[in-house]
Amino acid sequence: MSAPESHPFCSSSLIGTGSYVPERIMTNADLEKIVDTTDEWITSRTGIKERRIAADNETTSDMATAAARNAMEMAGVDASEIDLIIVATVTQDMFFPSTACFVQQKLGASNAVAFDMNAACSGFLFALQTARHFLNTGNRRCALVIGAEKLSSLVNWKDRNTCVLFGDGAGAVVLRRNEEEDAPGRVLSTIMGCDGNLTGILKVPGGASAEPITQENVDEQVKSIYMEGKEVFRHAVTRMKEACEQALERAGLKADDVTKVIAHQANQRIISAIVDRLGVPAERTFVNLQKYGNTSAASIPLALDEANRAGVIKRGDILLLVAFGAGLTWASSVVRW
Ligand code: UT7
């Protein structure tokens, strides 16, 4: 077993969480009116009962900014103290500038360097690890790490295979450099992985350089989500379980030590399969996908904030965060709360 991961100079801690979801609720009953589906099918196959849909004029950076403000308020951190903003998203406001630059402007965080990260549904944990490197090496002191998505802008509302799964929202954390060994919220380890051989099974194929929108394909929904659900499911369970084991080993911990698993909120059956294989009791999972569906990069920070504010997680708890998404990408992180 390898030693706990630490940097010779410093480490970093989560000092605040925040989230935001749009007001508009779309229930399974609402979807029954749009596509050939049933509440029974959606609930039994995924666990999802409803999802949030952003207003037409509500952007990913609007949601990201709202979540960030909540996290900063909890952390007691002023915009001027933030020197790094990373926004994990696949639904950026525009191709460029980055969504993170819009967030920087909206927060007035003028001392921050800001950029986006795309690792699909694993994006938040990729961003967390990236921020951690900036902090642990002494380059930056205080980071906002945000996952935010307006997936409703990528959904084909005629495709029942995918449109029932996704929702909009944002979650954020404030991560601060902290030299104290036992500081609360300390990130103990992070694992990341990719398999570019499987880019084809989960993608938005069009609308960018590979297949720009043209007069000819404008009606073909090329700029919407395509997923081979069963294949993605299979890989998700295997990769997420492995990533959990690796992150725990790197932190010098065992599955038994885990207080709460906060997994990417895509499918209740995936979460159940992972914890079952890890040997973690089902009651040690935190699940909110019934309310929000799959919010991609937003799902983990949204669940983390909800668990935190509800008092479900407490100081000293060992949290196991784990994500999986297009790429394929996967990541996991152990945090001592
Ligand atoms: O966030 C990134 C990671 N994403 C994921 O982790 C998602 C992974 N995949 C999944 O969660 C599941 O594969 C789904 C929920 C997407 C699908 O569940 P499934 O048990 O794998 O169903 P399936 O795709 O095998 O479809 C079974 C049947 C099909 O009908 P036939 O061919 O058996 O007659 C589908 O056409 O269910 C049908 N179906 C639906 N029926 C009613 C597919 N979507 C729907 C629907 N309503 N919305």
Side-chain angles (χ1 to χ4, degrees):
M1 186 160 295
S2 56
E5 193 188 65
S6 63
H7 193 273
F9 306 113
C10 34
S11 65
S12 36
S13 307
L14 296 171
I15 58 166
T17 62
S19 60
Y20 170 84
V21 288
E23 268 174 37
R24 184 175 162 208
I25 297 174
M26 184 183 270
T27 64
N28 291 349
D30 295 329
L31 282 162
E32 285 177 355
K33 295 175 200 144
I34 306 174
V35 283
D36 180 16
T37 191
T38 59
D39 172 49
E40 198 283 318
W41 191 95
I42 302 169
T43 306
S44 62
R45 300 289 175 127
T46 70
I48 300 165
K49 298 296 285 182
E50 57 189 45
R51 67 288 294 143
R52 299 300 177 103
I53 305 293
D56 289 347
N57 63 353
E58 194 169 32
T59 63
T60 296
S61 70
D62 290 336
M63 295 188 277
T65 304
R69 284 206 173 101
N70 291 338
M72 288 161 63
E73 194 183 340
M74 183 185 288
V77 162
D78 185 76
S80 63
E81 293 173 67
I82 302 289
D83 55 13
L84 173 66
I85 299 172
I86 309 180
V87 177
T89 188
V90 293
T91 48
Q92 63 273 29
D93 288 15
M94 301 177 185
F95 275 109
F96 61 85
S98 72
T99 305
C101 281
F102 286 107
V103 172
Q104 190 233 31
Q105 184 272 327
K106 287 173 188 177
L107 290 173
S110 49
N111 297 322
V113 67
F115 57 88
D116 289 358
M117 177 155 288
N118 179 347
C121 301
S122 309
F124 174 77
L125 291 184
F126 273 56
L128 183 68
Q129 175 69 338
T130 305
R132 202 173 154 232
H133 281 312
F134 273 91
L135 268 53
N136 288 9
T137 54
N139 185 289
R140 301 272 143 179
R141 299 193 71 85
C142 190
L144 260 175
V145 183
I146 306 169
E149 301 284 10
K150 187 174 176 177
L151 290 170
S152 57
S153 66
L154 292 181
V155 164
N156 174 359
W157 293 105
K158 292 183 179 143
D159 177 13
R160 69 174 183 172
N161 291 295
T162 53
C163 76
V164 302
L165 304 173
F166 300 100
D168 300 335
V173 298
V174 177
L175 188 71
R176 187 150 65 188
R177 195 157 94 207
N178 198 327
E179 269 111 83
E180 290 163 41
E181 188 67 23
D182 60 351
R186 185 165 175 200
V187 184
L188 300 180
S189 68
T190 300
I191 292 289
M192 300 188 292
C194 296
D195 184 356
N197 292 311
L198 291 167
T199 47
I201 66 173
L202 179 51
K203 60 185 175 182
V204 175
S209 63
E211 194 176 351
I213 302 289
T214 61
Q215 293 282 0
E216 289 70 38
N217 71 15
V218 71
D219 295 324
E220 290 170 22
Q221 296 282 352
V222 293
K223 196 174 180 295
S224 57
I225 299 166
Y226 167 85
M227 179 167 72
E228 294 172 25
K230 267 204 180 346
E231 270 302 282
V232 173
F233 191 113
R234 203 166 58 79
H235 289 287
V237 173
T238 312
R239 294 300 192 181
M240 289 165 94
K241 184 237 174 197
E242 283 169 3
C244 287
E245 288 171 340
Q246 289 163 2
L248 283 168
E249 186 183 348
R250 191 170 281 191
L253 296 169
K254 294 191 279 305
D256 233 17
D257 299 317
V258 174
T259 326
K260 258 316 168 236
V261 177
I262 301 184
H264 173 46
Q265 305 285 306
N267 189 319
Q268 175 64 63
R269 291 188 294 139
I270 294 177
I271 298 172
S272 301
I274 298 163
V275 292
D276 185 52
R277 284 165 202 216
L278 284 172
V280 173
E283 55 275 16
R284 290 197 206 160
T285 57
F286 183 81
V287 176
N288 66 0
L289 60 81
Q290 68 282 5
K291 292 191 289 185
Y292 307 126
N294 179 347
T295 58
S296 190
S299 94
I300 288 181
L302 184 53
L304 179 64
D305 182 52
E306 201 167 296
N308 190 20
R309 284 173 196 266
V312 171
I313 54 176
K314 299 191 175 58
R315 190 169 173 179
D317 282 357
I318 296 295
L319 309 185
L320 179 57
L321 314 179
V322 60
F324 179 85
L328 300 177
T329 56
W330 55 90
S332 75
S333 194
V334 177
V335 178
R336 190 184 53 230
W337 204 241

